[in-house]
Amino acid sequence: MSSQITVNARTVTIEAEPDTPLLWVLREQLGLTGTKYGCGVAACGACTVHLDGMAVRSCTLPVEGVGASQITTIEGLVSPEAKAVQAAWIELDVAQCGYCQTGQIMSAVVLLQDNPAPTDTEIDEAMNGNICRCATYQRIRQAIHAAAGTLKG
């Protein structure tokens, strides 16, 4: 079935059954492989993308559920919050194996867009559901604080 979705500010035509998870359309049809497959049940956060600015799990979101919403993947992040988070991730050497980092960054960006000065507790709550099997949670929290500091100026 042919339909159109908007990804990273670009409207594209896709061929997919309505119940196809958005993750597979992004990766297989559009070549946006920054979004990772982790668990397939929305439990790990590796597949996190933004849907109209909200962090959602693309592995369980059927493409028919996207409608006219704007999808942003890690490849399309351009906001000041995104740049601050990505710079902090590099500066603090957050990634270990790196597999979960796309989802972590996507969730961190939404957190800072909603809350420019989160506490440790607010970070933990916002990042809950983004699992890092290398347990880099302390560095993730530090990077979010660093990004918040950069944005504050």
Side-chain angles (χ1 to χ4, degrees):
M1 179 175 180
S2 180
S3 60
Q4 289 190 324
I5 60 175
T6 303
V7 180
N8 299 334
R10 197 178 106 225
T11 300
V12 294
T13 300
I14 59 168
E15 292 289 333
E17 293 300 318
D19 61 348
T20 302
L22 175 62
L23 173 64
W24 299 122
V25 171
L26 296 172
R27 290 185 58 83
E28 308 259 329
Q29 289 194 33
L30 303 179
L32 298 170
T33 57
T35 306
K36 304 299 183 199
Y37 173 79
C39 65
V41 294
C44 75
C47 66
T48 302
V49 297
H50 296 172
L51 185 71
D52 289 336
M54 296 179 53
V56 298
R57 307 297 192 241
S58 64
C59 70
T60 57
L61 177 63
V63 73
E64 70 181 342
V66 171
S69 297
Q70 302 285 320
I71 302 160
T72 304
T73 68
I74 191 80
E75 292 90 345
L77 281 180
V78 294
S79 69
E81 291 85 359
K83 291 178 181 176
V85 167
Q86 291 170 328
W89 241 250
I90 293 167
E91 177 68 26
L92 295 172
D93 200 19
V94 172
Q96 191 162 326
C97 84
Y99 198 80
C100 70
Q101 298 304 304
T102 300
Q104 303 278 0
I105 289 170
M106 297 301 284
S107 292
V109 168
V110 170
L111 168 63
L112 291 176
Q113 288 173 339
D114 294 342
N115 181 354
T119 64
D120 284 348
T121 301
E122 291 168 333
I123 291 171
D124 292 346
E125 288 172 1
M127 301 304 289
N128 187 22
N130 284 87
I131 297 172
C132 176
R133 64 182 170 193
C134 302
T136 63
Y137 300 110
Q138 295 297 325
R139 291 197 308 254
I140 290 169
R141 188 183 303 140
Q142 289 174 328
I144 292 170
H145 282 301
T150 298
L151 291 166
K152 186 176 179 184

